[in-house]
Amino acid sequence: MGHIKGLKCRECSREYPIEPIYVCEFCFGPLEVAYDYQSIAKSLSRKTIEKREKNLWRYRELLPIDGEPQVGLNSGYTPLLKADNLAKVLGVDTLFIKDDTVVHPTLSFKDRVVAITLTKAREFGFDTVACASTGNLAHSVSAHGASAGFKRFIFIPASLEASKIIASLVYEPNLVAVDGNYDDVNRLCSEIANKYRWAFVNINIRPFYAEGSKTIGFEILEQLGWKAPDNVVVPCASGSLLTKVWKSFKEFRDIGIVRELDTKVFAAQAKGCSPISTAVKSGTDVIRPVKPNTIAKSLAIGNPADGFYATQVVKETGGYAEDVTDQEIIDAIKLLARTEGIFAETAGGVTLASAMKLIETGKIRRDEVTVICITGNGLKTQEALQGHTISPHHIRPSLASFEEVLKKIQKGSD
Ligand SMILES: *Cc1c(COP(=O)(O)O)cnc(C)c1O
């Protein structure tokens, strides 16, 4: 298809053909997929998109594949919920939740990037896929790689949540638990990627991986009635998702699918791993790497590959960043469950708690339209809530025993 021009260096703009490469040979800048927007503008309209199936492939002209989709055929098009109960508690007029806790086969937004990357890995002719993961990518590559028939090498920090490790192991990949944090795992994987001809989804074919994140942004604009929100709050690990949400918004504007774009982009992080929000708050674009220590393990990247670009997007759009404590993360997970019936993983707690701070400090205005991105399901990180929920009522199997408890409950709710 003629809609992709090639790869292009984000720093020096040097162009490369579509190949499994990710850094510029001349300036070492990261490569990004470049499209022919003029030709896409001619063939892609609101009407064409609306006629297609409700999954992430409905935006395929803006995704870097040549042939037909091969992996993750039903992923995407997750709900955008108008969260009126939560809006009332937060004291804002209009709040939407982009709910990536549901629809996807492995219950996180990583199924978006994996659908695109494994399709691309197949096009490139790889037989082995691999990744360095903070948890959700491991789960998604393990699952999608199984059904697509790839050999799989999955690298994780050994300290990951037990539930996420089991969720990956069930698909029987080669799971390698590394004694070290994500940044150690990632460094090791870069070395391995240089030596073995494997498709490391977030390393040597990262430019294609990253494009998958745009689909959450396309969906938000479509689901708002082809309009951009005033604010969007995005959780950050490497910072890739945040930069791609903004890229997707700009693409829809540039090809005329949305008319106006005046969105502020906000970054959300955990205090125990906040290199991006710390840079934003101190007004610098120098990312100082940290050693992660937070329950939000899916966001625990101390040296974020796209951190610099994330700070640029925040600055360019007039957004800001926040970071929150583990207790604030837990409280926000519970608030979201109580008000909207959504059970988010720790990353969702980070996003909501950060949004609340941004509202309280006036960075997000109460009369504006705000979308918060909830990117993973709470069933995946139940450990984080151990000892932090209410307790069940324990009874003997008799009516009398139940009614004793019922009396107490009714008294309590008077
Ligand atoms: C990976 C991940 C993110 C964001 O990751 P980036 O590296 O910043 O793109 C957000 N939420 C969850 C649940 C994730 O697993």
Side-chain angles (χ1 to χ4, degrees), residues 96-238:
F96 288 92
I97 292 173
K98 181 56 173 167
D99 185 8
D100 264 24
T101 68
V102 290
V103 176
H104 297 130
T106 70
L107 305 180
S108 90
F109 105 94
K110 287 296 194 300
D111 288 340
R112 298 177 179 279
V113 289
V114 169
I116 284 47
T117 327
L118 294 205
T119 296
K120 200 68 206 170
R122 172 81 15 101
E123 288 182 358
F124 282 137
F126 286 101
D127 65 358
T128 303
V129 292
C131 67
S133 173
T134 57
N136 287 318
L137 189 61
H139 190 189
S140 187
V141 173
S142 299
H144 288 89
S147 60
F150 283 107
K151 282 180 237 158
R152 293 149 293 154
F153 282 88
I154 310 291
F155 296 84
I156 56 166
S159 62
L160 219 57
E161 297 98 334
S163 53
K164 279 195 179 150
I165 296 179
I166 292 171
S168 299
L169 285 174
V170 73
Y171 307 100
E172 302 187 348
N174 301 292
L175 188 92
V176 185
V178 180
D179 286 328
N181 59 34
Y182 173 84
D183 300 285
D184 300 319
V185 176
N186 195 49
R187 212 174 310 121
L188 169 65
C189 286
S190 301
E191 254 180 81
I192 298 172
N194 278 334
K195 179 148 186 201
Y196 296 87
R197 203 188 170 269
W198 298 345
F200 268 91
V201 303
N202 55 340
I203 300 179
N204 56 343
I205 53 172
R206 187 173 180 85
F208 308 95
Y209 161 95
E211 290 295 293
S213 292
K214 291 190 309 190
T215 59
I216 197 172
F218 295 143
E219 288 173 20
I220 290 170
L221 301 193
E222 178 175 2
Q223 290 166 321
L224 284 174
W226 306 108
K227 279 199 190 95
D230 299 310
N231 310 294
V232 60
V233 187
V234 187
C236 290
S238 71

Side-chain angles (χ1 to χ4, degrees), residues 100 107-110 113 133-137 164 182 202 206 209-210 213 234-244 268-269 276 297-301 304-306 310 345-348 351 373-377 380-381:
D100 264 24
L107 305 180
S108 90
F109 105 94
K110 287 296 194 300
V113 289
S133 173
T134 57
N136 287 318
L137 189 61
K164 279 195 179 150
Y182 173 84
N202 55 340
R206 187 173 180 85
Y209 161 95
S213 292
V234 187
C236 290
S238 71
S240 173
L241 172 62
L242 182 140
T243 62
K244 295 301 169 177
Q269 293 208 292
I276 296 174
K297 294 181 196 260
S298 57
L299 301 181
I301 298 184
D306 290 290
E345 73 143 82
T346 45
T351 310
C373 296
I374 301 297
T375 46
N377 193 300
K380 303 180 77 167
T381 59

